[in-house]
Amino acid sequence: MNRTQIPLYQAKAEFFRMLGHPARIRVLELLQDGPLPVRDLLAAIEIEPSSLSQQLAVLRRSGIVTATRGGSTVVYELAGGDVAELLLSARRVLSVLLSGRQDLLASLTEATERAEREPR
């Protein structure tokens, strides 16, 4: 293997690490509906402007979003439709995981209630 190449699994891990901040995920979710200026992102996410700027810079450096300047306004948009598909897949996975936890919670609750009803 060439020393300058990184294994695909490592590249994937770095990609998911880049996504690993709630503000970045929220930005990506908001941009699924189309390009937005920074002021709209700030209003929707309600974080400090400097913090949003840092998170947008991470997304921009990764190539997952692009920025266009028009005068004093900077507008961000998703670099491609695959990001929206990835977020949809994440929602589906989370739905399955959370539904499994609800089933587990229901089973635990049932078992606890049964144990409390039984004489000791």
Side-chain angles (χ1 to χ4, degrees):
M1 174 165 39
N2 184 342
R3 290 188 180 265
T4 60
Q5 286 183 332
I6 60 171
L8 182 57
Y9 63 86
Q10 186 175 344
K12 287 178 182 179
E14 289 172 13
F15 174 76
F16 284 110
R17 201 172 8 261
M18 178 272 303
L19 293 175
H21 192 283
R24 290 183 217 142
I25 296 296
R26 186 66 182 126
V27 165
L28 297 175
E29 288 175 342
L30 291 167
L31 294 178
Q32 288 181 97
D33 296 330
L36 288 173
V38 172
R39 70 176 170 274
D40 291 359
L41 292 170
L42 264 173
I45 300 175
E46 298 179 355
I47 61 174
E48 293 296 318
S50 61
S51 183
L52 179 61
S53 179
Q54 289 173 349
Q55 302 312 322
L56 288 169
V58 170
L59 293 171
R60 205 174 47 248
R61 277 193 307 269
S62 74
I64 205 164
V65 300
T66 59
T68 308
R69 181 176 293 277
S72 64
T73 302
V74 179
V75 176
Y76 281 85
E77 66 182 308
L78 295 178
D82 291 342
V83 175
E85 191 176 316
L86 175 66
L87 292 172
L88 180 59
S89 293
R91 275 190 219 110
R92 283 193 293 258
V93 168
L94 282 172
S95 293
V96 169
L97 292 175
L98 293 176
S99 112
R101 290 182 183 166
Q102 290 292 34
D103 293 346
L104 176 61
L105 178 60
S107 295
L108 288 172
T109 302
E110 253 178 60
T112 302
E113 290 170 354
R114 260 194 323 272
E116 289 172 350
R117 285 192 305 260
E118 293 176 1
R120 293 180 184 214

